[in-house]
Amino acid sequence: MYKLIFLFFVTSEFEVIINLHFSHLLSILLVRYGIERNPGPHRSTDLRNIKIVHNNVCSLPPKVDLIECELGTYDIIALSESHLDDSISNESIALAGFQKPIRLDRTRAGGGVIIYVKNYLYYEELPELAKPGLELLWLKISTQHCHFLLGVFYRPPNSRVKLWDYFYDSVSKALDKNLPVFLTGDFNVDMLSSNNMPCRSTGSNNLRNILQRLNMYNLVFEKTNFTTDTGTCIDLFLTNNKSCVKSVDILSPFCSTHAPVCAEVNFKVNKEYTYKRTIRKYENANYKDFVSDLNNIDWNEHFHSCDNINDMYSQFLNIYSTNVNKYIPTKVVTIRPADKPFMNSTIRRKMRQRNRIHYKAKNTNNCIHWQKFRKLRNEVIDLVRQSKEQYKQKLTKEITDKNIPPGKWWRIVKSISKLSKSREPTPFLKSELGQIFLHPV
């Protein structure tokens, strides 16, 4: 932008432009040349570990916005009890930044598993590992540096014992591929139950025996489901290679009684990360003194010693930058590339409060703490949905504005239609009343 301003300054209309109110000059440049008010650096990426998360959501369709907000930073999202059937399209449950969901549906009444994979990861479905009547979905995940298998499993309560035989056969075939295997899901067996309580431990004993035979390990050892006073450990993360898993954490429940289980595995992929940058606070700028100082500068004296246009530009840039820093204040902001556009500091603050009280309730099992947690959880849900609705209204207002620049209009359209780099034509945008939005060129 400084180069454009410099070109204005070295024209014969210098005296006219220097006396313009700087905010007007800035507005002309922004509109005419499509310049950002606070241009930032290119998005930074770094090799970081892949993060996998599983959650039993107890019906996916009404909770897509919550999952997008709470789990959207993970590389792979595995969900159980999706409650989907053929009447639910992939478009209606799509998550921004993720590829088309991979589904294994049962009915709208219960069951089903689904996996979301980030756009920068490559996956293959493995139908040869499937078993009729077994809700277990397998993928092969590939990056430039690694390959591994990922499965998500849902076992309905009170399932037949025969189901464990199907489970054993499927996992055995997965292990035969000689790759690291990660298996997560809702197993509906309490791995914290005592062997002295046969009525509660039959399922967990079956699973323990299978894991021992397959030389696999469970890495979850705390409560993950809180439908009872004591809680149960039924949402698990299994692997055949513990050295491939850096950590496993239990998050706060946000859309069901089940806590998400997240694992960080020692396979790296290039990912954008959160960083801080400095931006200008143009609304607090002192434009009057800024223009006054520029008017009082003897530019001929500064440019006289310059041998070429590049030296003149460098001299101009130093003087101009000094005045910009003097009269236009700055602030440091945190850039979160993975954040949803409707996220804000109020929602983040409430999330932190919810997580703290959940940690306290889980450790004390105090009914008052549980009541506070449920209250805060519901407040977060309301805030997320209100913020998303306000964001939608803002976008609707912008795309119907006749004065909006074409470039900005198309950016909004692509973000709404979830298209980025696509060779297919951008579809029409329709309102709830059937109105088709076109840019008012």
Side-chain angles (χ1 to χ4, degrees):
M1 186 173 80
Y2 288 160
K3 286 188 176 181
L4 288 171
I5 295 176
F6 175 66
L7 291 176
F8 273 109
F9 270 56
V10 297
T11 62
S12 59
E13 299 174 350
F14 169 80
E15 293 295 337
V16 176
I17 294 172
I18 195 63
N19 288 302
L20 278 174
H21 195 292
F22 183 73
S23 62
H24 295 162
L25 175 59
L26 181 63
S27 299
I28 292 170
L29 291 172
L30 294 176
V31 174
R32 176 65 182 83
Y33 296 98
I35 301 172
E36 293 290 341
R37 290 178 63 88
N38 275 298
H42 293 293
R43 289 187 171 182
S44 300
T45 60
D46 195 9
L47 278 176
R48 302 204 171 192
N49 286 338
I50 292 175
K51 291 187 176 182
I52 304 167
V53 64
H54 164 264
N55 194 204
N56 181 320
V57 293
C58 298
S59 185
L60 173 61
K63 301 171 184 176
V64 172
D65 51 354
L66 302 178
I67 291 163
E68 189 174 37
C69 187
E70 298 269 0
L71 305 180
T73 58
Y74 289 87
D75 304 295
I76 303 173
I77 302 175
L79 305 175
S80 55
E81 283 209 79
S82 54
H83 295 195
L84 301 177
D85 60 17
D86 293 340
S87 66
I88 305 296
S89 67
N90 285 331
E91 289 73 19
S92 65
I93 57 172
L95 298 182
F98 290 83
Q99 301 176 59
K100 181 181 70 173
I102 307 97
R103 302 161 47 169
L104 179 59
D105 300 342
R106 194 205 298 176
T107 66
R108 295 288 298 279
V113 291
I114 186 171
I115 301 177
Y116 293 89
V117 180
K118 280 281 192 179
N119 289 331
Y120 47 74
L121 291 174
Y122 176 77
Y123 73 87
E124 297 177 55
E125 297 185 50
L126 302 175
E128 67 273 16
L129 302 183
K131 290 285 183 180
L134 186 69
E135 293 179 272
L136 175 53
L137 179 62
W138 287 103
L139 298 181
K140 179 182 177 182
I141 307 294
S142 300
T143 72
Q144 185 179 358
H145 309 281
C146 67
H147 307 276
F148 61 86
L149 301 189
L150 173 69
V152 57
F153 175 57
Y154 176 67
R155 173 184 171 271
N158 304 316
S159 297
R160 296 180 302 165
V161 177
K162 187 70 174 175
L163 189 71
W164 290 118
D165 295 334
Y166 301 149
F167 176 81
Y168 178 86
D169 291 342
S170 180
V171 178
S172 296
K173 290 182 179 179
L175 293 172
D176 288 341
K177 293 186 177 290
N178 295 317
L179 289 172
V181 173
F182 305 117
L183 177 56
T184 186
D186 180 359
F187 290 71
N188 269 307
V189 292
D190 187 5
M191 297 300 283
L192 298 180
S193 62
S194 170
N195 291 332
N196 297 324
M197 302 174 65
C199 61
R200 294 180 59 190
S201 62
T202 302
S204 59
N205 285 338
N206 289 333
L207 181 57
R208 288 189 181 100
N209 291 335
I210 291 174
L211 296 182
Q212 187 174 9
R213 291 164 60 190
L214 295 174
N215 198 27
M216 292 188 70
Y217 310 92
N218 169 43
L219 304 181
V220 180
F221 306 103
E222 60 180 282
K223 302 167 187 176
T224 62
N225 187 32
F226 301 93
T227 54
T228 66
D229 294 337
T230 56
T232 54
C233 177
I234 63 176
D235 302 277
L236 310 178
F237 191 88
L238 314 178
T239 183
N240 63 336
N241 191 338
K242 290 193 289 185
S243 65
C244 290
V245 182
K246 181 179 180 180
S247 63
V248 175
D249 296 305
I250 310 302
L251 309 180
S252 298
F254 65 90
C255 67
S256 69
T257 60
H258 294 259
V261 175
C262 68
E264 183 176 348
V265 298
N266 293 318
F267 298 118
K268 297 188 182 296
V269 67
N270 275 308
K271 294 192 287 186
E272 295 177 340
Y273 54 85
T274 299
Y275 60 94
K276 294 184 182 295
R277 59 173 291 230
T278 301
I279 66 171
R280 298 282 174 190
K281 299 170 64 176
Y282 291 104
E283 65 278 7
N284 297 331
N286 185 348
Y287 293 118
K288 181 178 179 181
D289 290 346
F290 177 77
V291 173
S292 176
D293 271 18
L294 291 179
N295 275 321
N296 294 329
I297 295 173
D298 187 350
W299 295 98
N300 290 328
E301 179 182 346
H302 288 287
F303 292 155
H304 181 73
S305 60
C306 298
D307 297 330
N308 53 59
I309 190 68
N310 291 327
D311 291 343
M312 293 177 67
Y313 169 67
S314 297
Q315 184 76 350
F316 165 79
L317 183 60
N318 291 333
I319 298 171
Y320 189 82
S321 298
T322 300
N323 280 272
V324 167
N325 293 331
K326 183 178 180 181
Y327 294 109
I328 305 180
T330 62
K331 67 176 180 179
V332 177
V333 296
T334 301
I335 306 300
R336 300 178 175 87
D339 244 5
K340 305 309 165 192
F342 52 85
M343 277 292 287
N344 55 54
S345 58
T346 302
I347 296 175
R348 293 190 196 94
R349 185 166 55 251
K350 278 292 181 184
M351 285 180 173
R352 290 194 293 269
Q353 293 175 2
R354 177 202 63 193
N355 295 344
R356 285 195 294 268
I357 195 63
H358 175 257
Y359 179 81
K360 188 180 293 186
K362 184 172 61 173
N363 286 281
T364 63
N365 203 29
N366 185 303
C367 62
I368 296 177
H369 292 157
W370 280 114
Q371 289 174 1
K372 289 182 178 179
F373 162 71
R374 295 185 183 97
K375 180 175 180 292
L376 284 169
R377 181 188 63 188
N378 294 337
E379 288 180 6
V380 170
I381 292 173
D382 291 340
L383 284 172
V384 168
R385 288 176 171 164
Q386 289 172 11
S387 180
K388 188 171 184 180
E389 184 60 32
Q390 291 170 0
Y391 176 69
K392 288 180 178 179
Q393 293 175 1
K394 175 187 173 184
L395 292 184
T396 302
K397 183 178 179 181
E398 288 181 341
I399 62 177
T400 55
D401 182 4
K402 295 183 178 180
N403 298 318
I404 185 174
K408 184 177 181 181
W409 188 88
W410 280 110
R411 284 198 298 272
I412 296 173
V413 169
K414 289 179 180 179
S415 68
I416 295 174
S417 59
K418 299 181 179 178
L419 290 177
S420 54
K421 296 179 181 179
S422 175
R423 295 183 179 180
E424 298 179 359
T426 304
F428 290 116
L429 269 181
K430 291 185 178 181
S431 69
E432 295 179 356
L433 301 177
Q435 175 187 2
I436 295 178
F437 296 117
L438 296 174
H439 181 264
V441 178

